[in-house]
């Protein structure tokens, strides 16, 4: 995905420099006769330091609010003590995560590039020259967005979870799965890894295709719609077996939250540290495989390391 604005102008005649052309310039600032930039207020300069990280934080937070929110509504409403009638089904979950992805990217696309996924950030850093100095901040913002988004949904559905679990403060994996992914019992470890690896590779291939100016990019502003369709498709077609994490921050952030609010060690000890090798390592490696596939076989742009002289 496109990354953020790289630098501000040093004089009135300078042009703003962008890492990618899709992003609009920031609002202009006043310039003194000596060429010194004058910030509108005291907070402006501090905002520029954290703006991209905050954008990734906000994007993932929105993703998790909608995504885990729809899972909580569908699952918890199946208990007649929670709701008089069920409020949704599996397709509702696919739509909820698709909406979360579209909204999440929309709120940060023009600021940070709308990665909202460490697998995307790392794929762009390895294959497309995204600055490595930004990678730790992006991943930190994404992870914290996952924690906060899950905390908001947990607070919203706190009493429904109590009823569903059978008592105040009871917390088991039965409702931990509202927030993070847990594979079906019949899935082998290799099958779980492959499912997440493959789905993330598909995700990255489509992301790179839709941001390729020499392919068929969507009109300006419609990338979130493409991603809505993509995540809806992945959820509806590939999501049953492992819950299609395809995003380390989407799984690890909420998992950290569940560990903090009473679910304890089982969220990490499930199936021999499943949390690490399936929803974290598999998406990262799948993202690298998808980026390699697209850049080696399809991409002609000079941004890729494959096309460097």
């Amino acid at each position: 995905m496109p990354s953020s604005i790289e630098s501000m102008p040093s004089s009135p005649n300078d042009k703003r420099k962008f890492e990618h052309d899709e992003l609009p310039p920031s609002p202009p600032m006043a310039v003194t006769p000596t060429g010194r930039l004058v910030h509108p207020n005291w907070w402006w300069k501090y905002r520029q330091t954290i703006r991209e990280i905050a954008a990734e934080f906000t994007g993932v937070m929105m993703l998790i609010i909608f995504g885990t929110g729809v899972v909580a509504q569908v699952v918890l409403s199946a208990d007649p003590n929670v709701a008089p009638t069920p409020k949704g089904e599996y397709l509702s979950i696919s739509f909820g995560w698709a909406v979360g992805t579209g909204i999440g990217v929309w709120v940060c696309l023009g600021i940070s590039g709308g990665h909202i996924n460490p697998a995307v950030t790392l794929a762009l850093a390895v294959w497309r020259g995204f600055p490595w100095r930004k990678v730790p901040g992006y991943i930190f913002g994404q992870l914290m967005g996952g924690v906060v988004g899950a905390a908001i949904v947990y607070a919203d559905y706190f009493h429904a979870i109590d009823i569903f679990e059978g008592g105040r403060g009871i917390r088991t994996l039965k409702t931990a799965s509202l927030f993070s992914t847990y594979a079906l019992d019949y899935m082998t470890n290799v099958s779980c890894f492959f499912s997440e690896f493959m789905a993330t590779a598909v995700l990255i291939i489509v992301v790179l295709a839709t941001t390729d100016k020499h392919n068929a990019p969507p009109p300006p502003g419609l990338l979130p719609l493409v991603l809505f369709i993509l995540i809806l498709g992945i959820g509806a077609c590939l999501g049953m077996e492992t819950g299609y994490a395809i995003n380390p921050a989407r799984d690890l952030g909420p998992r950290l939250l569940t560990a903090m609010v009473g679910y304890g060690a089982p969220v990490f000890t499930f199936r021999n540290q499943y949390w690490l090798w399936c929803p974290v390592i598999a998406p990262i490696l799948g993202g690298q495989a998808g980026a390699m596939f697209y850049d080696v076989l399809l991409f002609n742009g000079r941004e890729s390391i494959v096309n460097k002289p």
Side-chain angles (χ1 to χ4, degrees):
M1 289 184 183
S3 60
S4 57
I5 296 173
E6 186 66 19
S7 61
M8 296 297 292
S10 59
S11 72
N13 297 321
D14 284 345
K15 294 182 178 179
R16 289 180 171 83
K17 299 176 182 178
F18 299 84
E19 290 179 7
H20 297 272
D21 293 338
E22 291 89 339
L23 301 182
S26 293
M29 293 185 293
V31 181
T32 66
T34 61
R36 185 174 66 88
L37 292 174
V38 179
H39 302 296
N41 54 53
W42 68 272
W43 176 241
W44 177 282
K45 62 180 179 180
Y46 298 109
R47 182 192 299 125
Q48 308 320 305
T49 303
I50 64 171
R51 190 166 178 251
E52 293 176 339
I53 297 173
E56 288 295 308
F57 169 90
T58 306
V60 175
M61 181 178 68
M62 292 297 176
L63 166 67
I64 298 303
I65 287 174
F66 283 93
T68 60
V70 71
V71 176
Q73 179 166 289
V74 170
V75 174
L76 297 176
S77 67
D79 186 331
N81 295 313
V82 173
T85 58
K87 308 298 182 185
E89 52 192 17
Y90 181 77
L91 186 58
S92 305
I93 295 175
S94 298
F95 268 102
W97 280 108
V99 169
T101 301
I103 296 298
V105 171
W106 214 330
V107 300
C108 64
L109 178 62
I111 299 172
S112 65
H115 297 188
I116 68 168
N117 186 338
V120 172
T121 300
L122 289 169
L124 294 181
V126 171
W127 296 94
R128 294 296 180 86
F130 181 76
W132 279 101
R133 71 180 185 278
K134 294 184 178 182
V135 170
Y138 267 54
I139 293 179
F140 176 78
Q142 292 158 357
L143 184 60
M144 291 301 101
V147 172
V148 173
I152 291 171
V153 173
Y154 179 76
D156 190 41
Y157 283 98
F158 180 86
H159 297 294
I161 292 173
D162 281 345
I163 296 171
F164 193 86
E165 287 278 18
R168 183 65 179 268
I170 298 174
R171 296 295 180 263
T172 68
L173 293 183
K174 185 168 65 171
T175 56
S177 60
L178 303 177
F179 300 95
S180 296
T181 60
Y182 295 85
L184 296 177
D185 292 340
Y186 64 80
M187 293 287 288
T188 66
N189 292 346
V190 173
S191 296
C192 291
F193 186 93
F194 175 75
S195 179
E196 290 292 330
F197 179 95
M198 177 268 298
T200 310
V202 171
L203 168 70
I204 297 297
I205 289 171
V206 177
V207 165
L208 294 180
T210 54
T211 56
D212 183 353
K213 299 176 186 177
H214 305 289
N215 197 335
L222 290 186
L223 179 59
L225 177 60
V226 175
L227 296 177
F228 169 89
I229 297 171
L230 170 62
I231 299 303
L232 176 61
I234 290 176
C237 305
L238 303 172
M240 176 186 72
E241 296 174 327
T242 60
Y244 65 110
I246 59 176
N247 180 340
R250 168 266 175 276
D251 186 272
L252 183 55
R255 197 177 295 268
L256 289 171
L257 183 279
T258 55
M260 290 187 288
V261 298
Y263 289 89
V267 301
F268 291 109
T269 58
F270 173 78
R271 289 186 66 159
N272 300 315
Q273 285 70 50
Y274 173 91
W275 70 271
L276 178 62
W277 51 264
C278 190
V280 174
I281 295 177
I284 289 174
L285 296 181
Q288 296 298 319
M292 181 175 68
F293 179 93
Y294 192 84
D295 280 19
V296 170
L297 299 179
L298 303 174
F299 189 59
N300 278 337
R302 294 183 179 181
E303 306 97 298
S304 175
I305 59 172
V306 175
N307 298 327
K308 299 293 184 184

